Amino acid sequence: MTPHFSLAELTVTDHRKFKNEPNLSEIANLQRLAELLEQVKIAIGGKPIMVNSAFRSKQVNDAVGSKDTSQHRLGCAADIRVPGVSPDNVVKAIISAKLPFDQLIREFDRWTHISIPNDPKGKPRGQVLIIDSKGTRPY
């Protein structure tokens, strides 16, 4: 898809008993997402980005306990980790670089969720949140 992000990486799942194969529109969304992740890579100084989860089929999404409205279902979101960089510093680097994200969420201080608009023509909301044991709140 891009120099540092493959379709296989953006569709990997630990739930191997379920198919996790995106359709053509979901692949197009994953292409847009991979392009944003390339920009994130630049913003964090070229460090490796580990994708925990990006596209999720309905079965995979249900298995992880996520909502049907999750942007992961459309191939528009990724949960990432950067070895040696805290999720908070990843969020700060993305904000500082003024990247065109839809949502940016520091989740449980373990990973960073980043998404693109569901509609390819849509304007990114630039919404930044924290989700942890205290609930969901603005960053």
Side-chain angles (χ1 to χ4, degrees):
M1 303 201 93
T2 64
H4 299 101
F5 301 96
S6 67
L7 181 60
E9 182 177 19
L10 297 175
T11 58
V12 71
T13 179
D14 289 337
H15 297 277
R16 304 215 190 283
K17 61 184 173 183
F18 301 127
K19 286 189 178 183
N20 201 44
E21 299 170 358
N23 64 32
L24 290 178
S25 67
E26 293 159 347
I27 290 171
N29 288 339
L30 287 168
Q31 178 67 47
R32 292 188 301 122
L33 181 62
E35 290 166 6
L36 177 60
L37 291 174
E38 290 289 348
Q39 293 178 57
V40 171
K41 187 169 180 66
I42 292 166
I44 58 169
K47 292 179 173 52
I49 294 175
M50 311 296 292
V51 177
N52 297 341
S53 177
F55 173 75
R56 296 184 197 142
S57 67
K58 172 141 178 59
Q59 287 180 311
V60 170
N61 200 58
D62 289 349
V64 301
S66 190
K67 298 177 184 176
D68 281 338
T69 56
S70 170
Q71 288 181 292
H72 289 276
R73 288 281 298 113
L74 303 172
C76 291
D79 294 337
I80 62 172
R81 289 179 299 109
V82 179
V85 181
S86 72
D88 195 54
N89 284 335
V90 171
V91 168
K92 287 176 183 175
I94 292 168
I95 292 169
S96 179
K98 298 182 169 122
L99 298 184
F101 59 85
D102 192 55
Q103 279 191 318
L104 185 60
I105 308 171
R106 188 185 81 199
E107 293 196 43
F108 302 97
D109 216 17
R110 292 178 42 216
W111 65 85
T112 305
H113 169 101
I114 187 165
S115 69
I116 56 174
N118 294 352
D119 180 346
K121 296 175 187 160
K123 183 178 184 214
R125 293 178 288 173
Q127 183 180 49
V128 187
L129 302 169
I130 296 172
I131 296 175
D132 59 20
S133 61
K134 297 176 188 171
T136 302
R137 61 192 181 279
Y139 183 83

